[in-house]
């Protein structure tokens, strides 16, 4: 019985192809197929322009009435923040386009797909 359960060194040898350099190289050099991303071009997003903001207490807000003015944190003429789904895309200025408001992009922030919101 002892003779049958003894393993020989040959039982543990691996195939020489397992360690061959060309097998690894072939895996690294095979390019992934380019995916068609045109589907994402059709997805709707929510674009907003942020003029300015202010932080105030609820007490101050409840004391306000018609005609009161809230001073904001931006100067007149400063660019507006352009946000896409809440994430900062860049800055721009308001323009008129055929009697409607529009925005001219002045600066585009570095974009990523992390989903981080500023």
């Amino acid at each position: 019985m002892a003779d049958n359960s003894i393993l020989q060194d040959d039982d543990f040898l691996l195939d020489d192809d397992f360690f061959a350099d060309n097998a690894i190289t072939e895996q690294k050099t095979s390019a992934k197929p380019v995916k068609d991303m045109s589907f994402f071009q059709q997805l709707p997003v929510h674009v907003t322009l942020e003029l300015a903001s202010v932080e105030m207490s609820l007490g101050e807000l409840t004391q306000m009435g018609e005609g009161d003015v809230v001073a904001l944190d931006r100067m007149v003429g400063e660019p507006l923040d352009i946000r896409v789904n809440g994430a900062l895309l860049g800055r721009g200025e308001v323009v008129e386009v055929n009697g409607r408001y529009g925005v001219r992009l002045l600066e585009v922030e570095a974009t990523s797909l992390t989903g981080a919101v500023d």
Side-chain angles (χ1 to χ4, degrees), residues 52-61 64 70-74:
S53 63
V54 66
E55 190 171 314
M56 58 187 349
S57 70
L58 183 57
E60 291 172 311
L61 185 61
M64 296 191 72
V70 177
L72 301 174
D73 63 354
R74 295 230 181 144

Side-chain angles (χ1 to χ4, degrees), residues 69-90:
V69 175
V70 177
L72 301 174
D73 63 354
R74 295 230 181 144
M75 301 293 291
V76 173
E78 279 189 63
L80 307 163
D81 286 345
I82 302 169
R83 296 188 177 271
V84 176
N85 290 345
L88 183 65
L89 171 71

Side-chain angles (χ1 to χ4, degrees), residues 25 44 68 73 118:
T25 306
D68 287 345
D73 63 354
D118 287 348

Side-chain angles (χ1 to χ4, degrees), residues 34-46 84-85 113:
V34 177
K35 294 183 180 178
D36 181 13
M37 302 296 282
S38 62
F39 167 78
F40 294 102
Q41 300 293 326
Q42 304 299 320
L43 292 177
V45 294
H46 188 76
V84 176
N85 290 345
L113 298 175

